[in-house]
Amino acid sequence: MTSSKSILGGGITIDLDAIVRNWKALDTVSGKSLTGAVLKADGYGTGAKTVGRALYKAGARFFFVATPDEGVVLREAIPNAFIFVLDGLIPRTAADYAAHGLMPVLASMSQLTEWLDFCLNRGKAAPAALHFDTGFNRVGFRMKEAELVARELKQSGFEPQMIMSHFACADQPSHEMTRKQNGLFQGLLNHFPDVPASIANSAAVMSSKDYHYHLVRPGIAMYGGRAINGRPNPMAPVISMDVPILQIKDARIGETVGYGAAYRLRRDTRIAIMALGYADGYFRGLSGIGGQMGGRVAVNGTIVPVLGRISMDMTAIDITDVQGLVQPGDPVEILGPNISIDDVADAARTIGYEVLTTLNGRFPRSYINVPDGVSLD
């Protein structure tokens, strides 16, 4: 295990072996399809360089980031990997992509034209993928442009690395949108019969082999998050986080807690103030105010509620029912064996993706169960 020093105490711990095991499980499910790995947003907050090295050692070769800057950072860690940039080609930066061996996922005719002109001027093709919009209405060529794109490729002799699309509702396997998009994608591939295809995210990998095609692109499931709504999550937990208690005090029934006096105590209460707030990514939406249920944390293995509004640096919790001695400096479990990222997400009315990519703030990140030969930053 490696640790960053913190006078305050507490921090975020990433289990690298758990990420690798999750990736290998998804690789098994994907069958004959290749299994990539999505490392955008700094590996969903877990550290893209370190996670990338661990996954490359485990056999992953295809990686996906959002921005070219993320790609440059990842390239330093895994120099021989195939790295795709999902945001596409930023205008007038083709040479930068090529210099770092990054493959833009081209999403418009202007991007395709600029990339082909760049390849022609350098006298050598540079690899890229193509993204088609099958109904998401985010980035991507329109479906009606498929014939034009195919003609441009034939005339130029350029062979894309992959044809891609993205599901809008894969986390709801019975949703008609998923079947509709897959049907459109299958029709699209008739224009590009010899090009590898990819559409499956974590949920689609786990839902049906009909969505696997040549390569799958898992993200949230690798990091232990719930990919499919309404189903038990089979993935191993990856992240834990604890923060210290700053102060403990006793308050009487009828007193209020926090900004706005928004929470009034219904009993005599033992309150702990923990060193965590919205500046650290602990959502203000987890506040316990009025009759509204807020976030939950664990102290000595007992799950306890947040009291009052979460402030920038501090949060109050009710430790009245916690057994055993509790004192300042003791750890509070924010994420771990008792509190999952999806527990936090559900309480905040959001998704595990946002929890993972937001909970950083001022707390150091460390790693456990590091595979042999994987270096840490």
Side-chain angles (χ1 to χ4, degrees):
M1 174 175 177
T2 65
S3 298
S4 299
K5 298 293 184 181
S6 170
I7 296 173
L8 177 64
I12 298 170
T13 302
I14 310 297
D15 187 336
L16 278 182
D17 181 66
I19 295 177
V20 169
R21 284 188 282 114
N22 285 341
W23 181 83
K24 287 182 175 179
L26 293 162
D27 187 43
T28 298
V29 171
S30 70
K32 295 181 180 179
S33 301
L34 297 170
T35 303
V38 179
L39 294 180
K40 61 184 180 178
D42 196 23
Y44 288 44
T46 64
K49 292 175 71 173
T50 299
V51 172
R53 291 187 188 108
L55 291 175
Y56 190 89
K57 186 176 188 296
R61 292 295 180 267
F62 299 88
F63 297 86
F64 297 84
V65 296
T67 71
D69 291 325
E70 289 181 343
V72 171
V73 171
L74 189 59
R75 174 61 70 207
E76 296 173 359
I78 41 178
N80 297 316
F82 298 95
I83 301 175
F84 295 86
V85 179
L86 295 168
D87 280 2
L89 177 64
I90 308 302
R92 298 173 296 281
T93 62
D96 296 312
Y97 284 71
H100 295 282
L102 305 178
M103 292 179 279
V105 181
L106 305 173
S108 68
M109 290 306 302
S110 62
Q111 289 184 18
L112 177 60
T113 298
E114 182 172 346
W115 192 254
L116 293 178
D117 286 346
F118 168 72
C119 293
L120 180 64
N121 290 333
R122 78 195 292 249
K124 180 182 178 182
L130 306 180
H131 188 111
F132 280 82
D133 179 6
T134 52
F136 203 124
N137 272 318
R138 207 166 59 173
V139 297
F141 292 96
R142 305 297 293 185
M143 292 295 291
K144 64 183 180 182
E145 295 177 305
E147 188 173 338
L148 175 59
V149 172
R151 187 162 59 246
E152 286 287 321
L153 296 178
K154 184 176 181 180
Q155 290 175 352
S156 67
F158 183 82
E159 298 181 1
Q161 296 292 302
M162 195 181 305
I163 300 294
M164 295 170 51
S165 191
H166 193 61
F167 285 128
C169 304
D171 58 344
Q172 307 168 62
S174 62
H175 202 293
E176 177 60 28
M177 184 68 172
T178 304
R179 291 189 290 273
K180 180 181 178 181
Q181 283 189 265
N182 192 52
L184 290 171
F185 191 62
Q186 288 177 335
L188 169 71
L189 297 181
N190 292 327
H191 294 281
F192 311 96
D194 300 319
V195 182
S198 175
I199 193 173
N201 58 3
S202 291
V205 174
M206 300 164 72
S207 296
S208 172
K209 64 181 180 181
D210 292 340
Y211 307 143
H212 291 176
Y213 295 96
H214 297 91
L215 182 142
V216 300
R217 315 188 305 264
I220 189 66
M222 288 196 314
Y223 305 105
R226 180 178 62 216
I228 300 178
N229 294 333
R231 292 188 188 177
N233 181 6
M235 312 313 293
V238 163
I239 185 170
S240 60
M241 179 180 184
D242 64 82
V243 302
I245 291 173
L246 297 176
Q247 187 177 3
I248 296 172
K249 57 180 58 181
D250 294 308
R252 302 299 299 273
I253 185 171
E255 292 185 46
T256 61
V257 180
Y259 281 118
Y263 185 88
R264 189 173 298 278
L265 296 174
R266 298 181 176 89
R267 63 175 180 174
D268 292 347
T269 305
R270 192 160 180 76
I271 299 172
I273 308 301
M274 59 181 187
L276 180 74
Y278 58 75
D280 305 296
Y282 199 62
F283 306 118
R284 198 165 182 263
L286 292 165
S287 299
I289 55 176
Q292 176 182 320
M293 190 72 74
R296 293 286 188 269
V297 298
V299 179
N300 288 353
T302 300
I303 296 176
V304 302
V306 168
L307 299 178
R309 287 204 171 104
I310 292 166
S311 55
M312 183 181 292
D313 316 298
M314 302 178 194
T315 298
I317 57 176
D318 181 351
I319 62 168
T320 308
D321 299 324
V322 175
Q323 300 297 312
L325 178 66
V326 182
Q327 55 190 354
D330 285 353
V332 177
E333 177 191 323
I334 308 303
L335 294 170
N338 299 289
I339 308 288
S340 72
I341 58 175
D342 295 309
D343 291 334
V344 176
D346 291 343
R349 297 172 178 80
T350 184
I351 54 178
Y353 302 74
E354 188 174 17
V355 174
L356 279 172
T357 56
T358 304
L359 269 180
N360 282 302
R362 291 162 285 202
F363 290 90
R365 185 169 59 200
S366 61
Y367 296 92
I368 60 173
N369 299 324
V370 179
D372 292 340
V374 173
S375 61
L376 304 173
D377 295 321

